[in-house]
Amino acid sequence: PFVEVNCAAIPEDLIESELFGHVKGAFTGAVGDRRGKFELADGGTIFLDEIGDMSVETQAKVLRVLQEQVVEPVGGTSGVRVDVRVLAATNKELPAEIRAGRFREDLYFRLNVIPIFVPPLRDRKTDIPLLAEYFMVGFAREYGRRTKALDPGAAAALQEYPWPGNVRELRNVIERLVIMVPGDTITGRDLAFLEGPRAPAPAPEPPAGGESAETL
């Protein structure tokens, strides 16, 4: 099994029940036993998305599960052994969250076995045409339209835009183009609506013979 948990979307008072399950009568509304996501993922993978938004208290309980491979349902008195592969993702800088006291350092090192860093879309511009074509085909099929082509001006506009919203923003833009552009070719004029923050300017060169300038 592959079980996904969006840690940012679950209210704090429910996330423990979602992750570890609960027994009947554990709290108001617990009308029956319920298996948690870790137990449902037994023998497979659990994906903890946006783990940087998880409370420190819940982080401590997740760490215990990772170390002991035992889940204790809310309100329960006995544990359930699980064998789960854990993937975790966040858009936050976890070392900075650790310094601020918002993320447990021991959990960070427990999770940080094989780190995969995905750079922002503006730093991998060669991916943009491939992603645009992929989304174009998908939306054309969904809306019953013919697949449109990007002219050189449109392709250049997509690659020059800094994409502060990354792949999600690109996906939304392609969906808009599939719906709104009447012809079979998307031109640079069709992308005139792309505005917003530009890519960060490079840091200034250090003064000659002096200390490095610090950019805040």
Side-chain angles (χ1 to χ4, degrees):
F2 181 89
V3 178
E4 181 179 356
V5 182
N6 187 336
C7 301
I10 303 173
E12 181 56 34
D13 57 343
L14 295 178
I15 191 166
E16 288 186 29
S17 173
E18 282 289 317
L19 292 174
F20 313 128
H22 63 253
V23 299
K24 181 179 179 180
F27 50 84
T28 303
V31 296
D33 293 353
R34 180 180 179 184
R35 300 169 68 198
K37 301 294 189 183
F38 271 95
E39 191 176 349
L40 292 172
D42 185 34
T45 301
I46 187 169
F47 174 40
L48 302 176
D49 196 12
E50 302 295 354
I51 196 170
D53 293 305
M54 182 182 289
S55 73
V56 175
E57 292 77 13
T58 305
Q59 290 172 31
K61 296 179 180 181
V62 169
L63 177 63
R64 182 184 174 195
V65 173
L66 298 184
Q67 291 176 332
E68 301 179 7
Q69 296 186 332
V70 173
V71 172
E72 187 170 312
V74 177
T77 57
S78 60
V80 179
R81 182 161 293 278
V82 292
D83 179 14
V84 179
R85 177 193 296 111
V86 178
L87 303 179
T90 182
N91 61 3
K92 295 184 176 181
E93 294 286 344
L94 290 187
E97 295 295 299
I98 292 169
R99 292 191 295 271
R102 292 188 292 265
F103 200 86
R104 292 181 61 105
E105 187 174 36
D106 47 4
L107 178 58
Y108 172 74
F109 288 124
R110 186 67 182 81
L111 291 170
N112 196 33
V113 179
I114 304 177
I116 301 173
F117 175 71
V118 181
L121 192 55
R122 64 176 176 270
D123 291 343
R124 44 194 173 105
K125 294 185 176 182
T126 55
D127 289 355
I128 293 174
L130 299 174
L131 288 167
E133 181 179 358
Y134 173 77
F135 292 138
M136 192 90 68
V137 170
F139 285 124
R141 185 183 303 116
E142 179 179 346
Y143 293 113
R145 308 285 181 90
R146 287 183 295 184
T147 303
K148 302 179 189 299
L150 297 170
D151 76 1
L158 289 177
Q159 290 188 291
E160 290 169 5
Y161 183 68
W163 300 106
N166 289 300
V167 176
R168 289 187 182 93
E169 184 182 10
L170 175 61
R171 182 181 185 276
N172 291 342
V173 166
I174 297 302
E175 182 176 17
R176 174 175 174 169
L177 294 171
V178 169
I179 295 171
M180 300 299 295
V181 174
D184 292 335
T185 301
I186 297 170
T187 69
R189 291 190 300 275
D190 296 318
L191 288 159
F193 63 88
L194 281 184
E195 297 178 356
R198 295 300 172 189
E205 293 291 332
E211 296 183 354
S212 298
E214 184 175 340
T215 303
L216 299 179

